Amino acid sequence: QVQLRESGGGLVQPGGSLRLSCVVSGSTLDDYVIGWFRQAPGKAREGVSCISGRDGYTYYADTVKGRFTISRDNAENSWYLQMNGLTREDTAVYYCAANREGWGCVNLLHYGMDYYGKGTLVTVSS
């Protein structure tokens, strides 16, 4: 059973940075697309970013492009989301997610993945 666990959320001022981490147990990441989703209060879930395990392809939603960076460490079964230049609009619960390869990073980010963590809250406020 694949299990994901996020960490690194918290309260940060506008313009600040946070680094989210996700650790997976129950599987290795070599043949998985991994990603991050978020859901703000009263809003639909949004796919933020994903990275392919096969070729390292990365994708970012327009709302975070240029500010967020996704990375992975297969040896540690972990991946990360470095978030810079945070704004109040980035306030949300962030979820890490994983899915076996074969569906495409962007498609999985749009339609959802098989495995999710429980989420970590990011609050951007002064």
Side-chain angles (χ1 to χ4, degrees), residues 18-96:
L18 278 177
R19 187 193 194 211
L20 304 183
S21 301
C22 185
V23 177
V24 63
S25 59
S27 180
T28 59
L29 293 177
D30 294 8
D31 200 38
Y32 277 80
V33 170
I34 57 178
W36 291 93
F37 294 78
R38 68 185 181 185
Q39 188 162 20
K43 293 188 177 181
R45 185 184 68 191
E46 177 188 14
V48 173
S49 180
C50 57
I51 182 169
S52 169
R54 288 179 178 174
D55 58 13
Y57 170 83
T58 58
Y59 173 84
Y60 299 92
D62 287 342
T63 51
V64 305
K65 197 175 298 181
R67 300 186 297 122
F68 290 11
T69 302
I70 190 171
S71 61
R72 62 193 293 161
D73 184 340
N74 286 1
E76 296 293 328
N77 259 13
S78 297
W79 61 98
Y80 310 96
L81 186 68
Q82 177 66 42
M83 305 186 296
N84 299 328
L86 287 163
T87 72
R88 290 179 174 82
E89 288 67 37
D90 296 315
T91 295
V93 177
Y94 284 72
Y95 301 88
C96 60

Side-chain angles (χ1 to χ4, degrees), residues 78-124:
S78 297
W79 61 98
Y80 310 96
L81 186 68
Q82 177 66 42
M83 305 186 296
N84 299 328
L86 287 163
T87 72
R88 290 179 174 82
E89 288 67 37
D90 296 315
T91 295
V93 177
Y94 284 72
Y95 301 88
C96 60
N99 202 100
R100 286 200 175 274
E101 292 274 8
W103 298 95
C105 181
V106 178
N107 284 334
L108 290 170
L109 205 61
H110 180 73
Y111 292 109
M113 298 190 186
D114 283 342
Y115 305 103
Y116 292 87
K118 293 184 178 180
T120 185
L121 177 62
V122 172
T123 303
V124 184

